[in-house]
Amino acid sequence: MSDGAAKVSNVVKLLSASAAGICGTLVCYPLDVLRLNMQVSGEMGKKRKSVTTLEFAREIVKRDGFLGLYQGLSASVGRQGLYTGTRLGLYQILTDKYSENNTIGYLEKILIGCVSGAIGAIVGLPPDVILTRMAVDNRLPVNERRNYKHVFDGFRRIYVDEGILTLYRGAVPTICRAVVVNVSQVVSYFEAKHFLLRNGIVSSDNSICQLSASLISSAVATTCTLPVDITKTRIQNMGKEEGGVQYKNMVDVWYKIIRYEGIFALWKGFTPLFVRNAPQFIVTFITYEKFIHFFSKLGG
């Protein structure tokens, strides 16, 4: 658990997690835009020449200018405030609660990670749908673009034009992804930190310890989450086609990706996601730890 977390209130834990998530996304958002654009490229056998992360970045800047790398930032801030605030804050709350009088085991931590991740996904899903659409909007033909002004405009227009259930489109892959993310990211972070301290690799729970644990966590999370992440992205971005929707469910997305693009396309966007995850995890976790430490000194 975070040093000093037991001394602060549950509200502080949730708010600290939200603030940390927002700080992380402000630092690394352009890489998220690259990842989303890479994941929707090549759909249904559509061929393209640009395949590398650098080529995608050049394409976006050429087409939309440098600010094109920040498309959908307001939605990302809203998503992180709700999603990371819930999944990280709730994980801390539950682990603190169940470890008060008992030693909490690894399996219990995984279960708590699954529960807090799933709840975080549900809470943060509406801005996540808007984020996906805003980040890749300029890839669409001009007459098909949504042109959301900001996250609140996205909420309003989706609710009016498509119905409230559209804000929860891709719920199953999003929840599955969040469960995988929370276990592979949050659980691995705290376990890595505990391992480093227990074995004397670092002397104390300081910034070096937190940075090292964040890097380990980013490597684990990137590998585990990409196949589910690309499924979520494709479903949230899809439009209506003659005879129905483009994808029926998660399995259908995986089938079509493997059929048209090859099995390794399930890890498309690995480079920007890993490069994004490492600094974002570092900023998020260290910021979170600092917030918790600060408020614990104030009496939480």
Side-chain angles (χ1 to χ4, degrees):
M1 67 180 65
S2 176
D3 185 29
K7 301 177 183 178
V8 302
S9 67
N10 291 340
V11 172
V12 169
K13 293 171 188 175
L14 291 170
L15 292 177
S16 296
S18 293
I22 291 171
C23 288
T25 202
L26 289 174
V27 171
C28 306
Y29 185 68
L31 291 167
D32 227 7
V33 172
L34 287 173
R35 173 182 61 85
L36 291 168
N37 276 271
M38 291 181 76
Q39 288 180 342
V40 299
S41 70
E43 289 186 299
M44 301 302 292
K46 297 174 184 177
K47 302 296 182 181
R48 55 169 293 119
K49 294 181 179 180
S50 297
V51 293
T52 69
T53 303
L54 183 58
E55 286 173 329
F56 268 95
R58 287 174 176 169
E59 179 183 295
I60 291 172
V61 172
K62 181 179 179 180
R63 183 185 64 220
D64 308 316
F66 180 76
L67 292 181
L69 294 171
Y70 288 88
Q71 296 175 104
L73 179 61
S74 64
S76 183
V77 169
R79 173 181 178 269
Q80 287 297 331
L82 294 172
Y83 169 60
T84 298
T86 301
R87 68 183 180 88
L88 176 54
L90 188 58
Y91 177 83
Q92 185 79 73
I93 290 169
L94 293 175
T95 52
D96 287 346
K97 177 178 176 58
Y98 288 104
S99 61
E100 285 178 352
N101 302 314
N102 304 291
T103 300
I104 184 169
Y106 189 63
L107 290 179
E108 287 88 348
K109 292 176 183 177
I110 291 177
L111 180 59
I112 291 173
C114 291
V115 171
S116 56
I119 295 173
I122 294 170
V123 171
L125 187 54
D128 193 21
V129 172
I130 298 167
L131 165 63
T132 299
R133 291 185 170 194
M134 291 179 73
V136 302
D137 199 40
N138 286 347
R139 295 186 62 83
L140 298 172
V142 175
N143 61 327
E144 295 180 17
R145 294 177 185 175
R146 284 107 175 187
N147 293 318
Y148 300 147
K149 298 176 182 177
H150 43 69
V151 63
F152 300 109
D153 183 48
F155 272 117
R156 181 187 64 80
R157 289 178 52 192
I158 289 176
Y159 176 77
V160 172
D161 298 338
E162 303 176 60
I164 193 170
L165 291 181
T166 302
L167 290 168
Y168 292 89
R169 177 178 287 176
V172 172
T174 301
I175 292 172
C176 290
R177 176 187 180 277
V179 168
V180 174
V181 166
N182 227 39
V183 172
S184 62
Q185 180 196 38
V186 178
V187 178
S188 68
Y189 169 77
F190 287 111
E191 286 301 301
K193 194 170 73 165
H194 179 65
F195 174 84
L196 294 170
L197 291 167
R198 185 182 65 229
N199 290 278
I201 298 173
V202 293
S203 59
S204 63
D205 185 5
N206 53 25
S207 296
I208 297 298
C209 174
Q210 294 156 13
L211 185 150
S212 300
S214 297
L215 289 173
I216 294 171
S217 174
S218 66
V220 174
T222 302
T223 303
C224 293
T225 59
L226 256 177
V228 181
D229 190 51
I230 193 171
T231 305
K232 175 189 73 70
T233 300
R234 293 281 178 101
I235 289 177
Q236 289 179 343
N237 188 58
M238 71 179 176
K240 292 183 179 180
E241 295 186 338
E242 291 185 12
V245 295
Q246 190 173 353
Y247 301 112
K248 299 175 183 177
N249 48 48
M250 288 180 65
V251 176
D252 188 45
V253 176
W254 284 331
Y255 168 76
K256 288 176 178 176
I257 288 175
I258 294 171
R259 178 182 177 185
Y260 291 106
E261 304 167 56
I263 190 169
F264 290 108
L266 291 172
W267 283 271
K268 184 179 287 186
F270 182 90
T271 300
L273 183 60
F274 179 77
V275 174
R276 162 198 178 273
N277 276 349
Q280 181 164 14
F281 285 20
I282 291 169
V283 172
T284 299
F285 282 122
I286 291 182
T287 302
Y288 174 70
E289 300 271 14
K290 298 307 180 188
F291 273 122
I292 292 294
H293 180 73
F294 174 75
F295 285 109
S296 69
K297 294 294 184 182
L298 294 180

